[in-house]
């Protein structure tokens, strides 16, 4: 704590990202990165713009990328004015909290589940936005009726993190409709939607619901966590709100390399569909094998599984895996202290993980 920090900095409780080890080689199953490399076209596109034009600022409108995204969703009749892009979806979430949710003790609370992406409360605190945690059911499923109360907006990760559970499309739409009826935003964070067996993005309904904002990332489904690109889809007025906030911080959130790589990734989505089918197949195989070993699993629609073993504490399991060179994610917080979130790696990674689980559970 420095005497030079202002009150706001003193009061911050920042997000803690998953460990990025430097000391030894781990099988990294702790930050939901895609185990497969980006498409070769993406790497070529980035290399192609690594030239002297880097002395110039990038396009602040990010127009080419927004056109590519609108085209990709052409079946939903989207225009580039309905697309916002940002430096990872985290940045877009931060902007959305600033743009759409009121601050101060008198404001109605923003609602999100008690077990969800742990960055949401961090943003709420950063912008002094009151929030309430709405408990998920015991099986970590979400009851939309629990959100039927005065609120300043709802934020739902679908599929949820770290549980991996997805909402039924009918429920998600009903929640958006109820929020529209009371003039409130429904923000759906679809970071993991591509890994659902049947992806049902709410982006399909943007033209129906003026209060709906969907947030997406290239970090997981497009193997580009290192490039930092996310995007949001909503009606043009909401997108304009995000731009107002962005342009009050930094007009150039995406650099030339990121714009080129992300645009190529959007156009080469067939490559990624193939990688992600492999991730889904591995997830299903590992889930079956873990169940046979006595693990309990939450049904996953994401590129990770959320699992516990009735005979081993979560912290002990985490440490035992770590000792065997396998990094997973563990939160020492109520309700989920006995669970681990395990990202889906390659088949070889997961075989090593399963072998370690056999070793630990049979010891
Ligand atoms: N939303 C959820 C639910 C996430 O798990 C993550 C990844 N930690 C993000 C958003 C942010 O992803 P990125 O900033 O890499 O786009």
């Amino acid at each position: 704590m420095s005497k030079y920090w202002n009150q706001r900095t003193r009061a911050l409780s920042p997000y803690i990202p998953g460990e990025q080890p430097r000391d030894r080689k781990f099988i990294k199953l702790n930050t939901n990165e895609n185990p497969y490399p980006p498409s070769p076209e993406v790497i070529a596109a980035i290399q192609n713009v690594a030239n002297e034009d880097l002395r110039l600022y990038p396009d602040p409108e990010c127009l080419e990328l927004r056109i590519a995204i609108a085209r990709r969703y052409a079946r939903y009749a989207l225009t580039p004015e309905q697309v916002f892009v940002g430096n990872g979806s985290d940045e877009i979430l931060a902007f959305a909290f600033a743009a759409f949710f009121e601050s101060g003790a008198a404001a109605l609370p923003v609602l999100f589940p008690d077990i969800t992406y742990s960055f949401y409360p961090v943003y709420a605190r950063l912008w002094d936005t009151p929030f309430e945690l709405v408990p998920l059911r015991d099986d970590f499923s979400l009851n939309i009726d629990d959100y039927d109360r005065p609120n300043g907006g709802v934020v739902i990760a679908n599929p949820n993190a770290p549980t991996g559970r997805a909402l039924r499309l009918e429920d998600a739409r009903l929640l958006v409709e109820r929020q529209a009826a009371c003039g409130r935003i429904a923000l759906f964070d679809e970071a993991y939607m591509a890994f659902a067996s049947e992806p049902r993005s709410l982006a399909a309904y943007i033209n129906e619901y003026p209060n709906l904002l969907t947030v997406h990332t290239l970090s997981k489904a497009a193997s580009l966590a290192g490039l930092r690109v996310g995007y949001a889809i909503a009606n043009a007025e909401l997108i304009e709100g995000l731009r107002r906030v962005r342009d009050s911080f930094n007009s150039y959130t995406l650099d030339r390399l990121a714009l080129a790589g992300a645009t190529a990734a959007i156009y080469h989505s067939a490559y990624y569909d193939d990688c992600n089918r492999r991730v889904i197949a591995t997830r299903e195989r590992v889930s079956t094998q873990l169940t046979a070993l006595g693990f309990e699993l939450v049904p996953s629609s994401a590129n990770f599984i959320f699992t516990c073993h009735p005979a081993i504490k979560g912290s002990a399991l985490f440490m035992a895996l770590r000792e065997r060179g396998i990094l997973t994610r563990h939160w020492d917080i109520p309700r989920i202290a006995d669970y681990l979130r395990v990202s889906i790696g390659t088949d070889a990674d997961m075989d090593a993980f399963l072998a370690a689980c056999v070793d630990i559970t049979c010891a």
Side-chain angles (χ1 to χ4, degrees):
M1 185 85 70
S2 159
K3 67 175 180 179
Y4 299 109
W5 291 359
N6 65 14
Q7 285 295 346
R8 188 174 44 236
T9 307
R10 281 163 200 261
L12 291 177
S13 42
Y15 174 76
I16 304 164
E19 187 179 348
Q20 297 292 356
R22 285 189 193 87
D23 52 338
R24 69 179 260 209
K25 195 128 180 64
F26 282 96
I27 294 181
K28 249 188 115 278
L29 306 179
N30 68 333
T31 48
N32 298 342
E33 288 141 334
N34 198 310
Y36 300 110
S39 136
E41 278 95 347
V42 168
I43 295 170
I46 295 170
Q47 283 166 343
N48 203 31
V49 295
N51 58 37
E52 61 194 36
D53 283 349
L54 284 173
R55 75 189 173 79
L56 302 170
Y57 281 106
D59 172 18
E61 304 292 331
C62 306
L63 191 58
E64 239 188 288
L65 175 57
R66 288 170 42 234
I67 289 172
I69 294 168
R71 278 199 193 141
R72 168 159 168 191
Y73 290 95
R75 62 191 183 287
Y76 307 153
L78 295 183
T79 65
E81 288 67 42
Q82 293 170 304
V83 179
F84 180 85
V85 294
N87 192 267
S89 53
D90 279 340
E91 182 184 73
I92 300 176
L93 291 166
F95 289 170
F97 271 72
F100 307 126
F101 305 144
E102 297 294 350
S103 299
L108 285 171
V110 171
L111 306 179
F112 38 84
D114 60 339
I115 309 294
T116 192
Y117 186 31
S118 48
F119 229 137
Y120 303 152
V122 174
Y123 296 131
R125 288 194 194 100
L126 174 66
W127 305 124
D128 192 27
T129 294
F131 64 94
E132 266 171 36
L133 304 179
V134 182
L136 294 172
R137 296 187 184 103
D138 286 347
D139 64 357
F140 302 121
S141 62
L142 184 151
N143 180 359
I144 58 162
D145 293 341
D146 294 339
Y147 292 76
D148 219 355
R149 54 182 151 120
N151 67 74
V154 300
V155 180
I156 307 289
N158 188 39
N160 196 12
T163 66
R165 256 195 191 275
L167 258 183
R168 290 186 317 162
L169 180 66
E170 307 83 82
D171 284 342
R173 287 187 64 179
L174 197 52
L175 182 52
V176 179
E177 276 164 25
R178 288 178 182 173
Q179 286 295 101
C182 62
R184 300 291 176 186
I185 293 262
L187 189 165
F188 274 78
D189 177 351
E190 297 189 347
Y192 300 103
M193 184 56 88
F195 302 101
S197 315
E198 282 178 54
R200 307 295 294 273
S201 172
L202 281 185
Y205 304 99
I206 292 299
N207 285 314
E208 248 172 84
Y209 304 122
N211 64 323
L212 171 63
L213 179 81
T214 61
V215 178
H216 313 254
T217 179
L218 300 195
S219 296
K220 325 286 178 181
S223 305
L224 288 172
L227 201 67
R228 310 304 303 128
V229 183
Y231 59 95
I233 300 181
N235 78 38
E237 283 180 12
L238 292 190
I239 296 300
E240 182 57 25
L242 291 173
R243 283 185 55 149
R244 286 172 76 90
V245 172
R246 183 199 70 174
D247 289 343
S248 305
F249 273 95
N250 170 12
S251 295
Y252 303 105
T253 55
L254 291 194
D255 61 59
R256 285 173 168 269
L257 308 187
L259 286 171
T263 307
I266 298 290
Y267 282 126
H268 293 96
S269 59
Y271 166 91
Y272 291 110
D273 292 345
D274 195 46
C275 295
N276 296 337
R277 265 193 294 273
R278 288 160 75 188
V279 171
I280 293 170
T282 306
R283 177 187 75 207
E284 296 308 305
R285 172 177 78 85
V286 172
S287 301
T288 306
Q289 285 174 272
L290 276 182
T291 307
L293 285 175
F295 282 81
E296 290 167 15
L297 284 99
V298 179
S300 173
S301 296
N303 67 338
F304 55 83
I305 47 178
F306 200 52
T307 183
C308 67
H309 192 286
I312 310 172
K313 285 207 153 311
S315 52
L317 189 55
F318 171 83
M319 283 314 294
L321 285 165
R322 199 175 192 288
E323 280 159 19
R324 289 164 178 78
I326 295 166
L327 271 190
T328 60
R329 195 90 200 258
H330 173 249
W331 289 269
D332 203 6
I333 57 173
R335 291 192 74 184
I336 61 167
D338 278 334
Y339 282 81
L340 292 190
R341 190 195 68 189
V342 184
S343 309
I344 301 298
T346 61
D347 278 307
D349 292 340
M350 299 320 282
D351 286 342
F353 164 73
L354 286 165
C357 288
V358 170
D359 195 29
I360 295 162
T361 53
C362 299

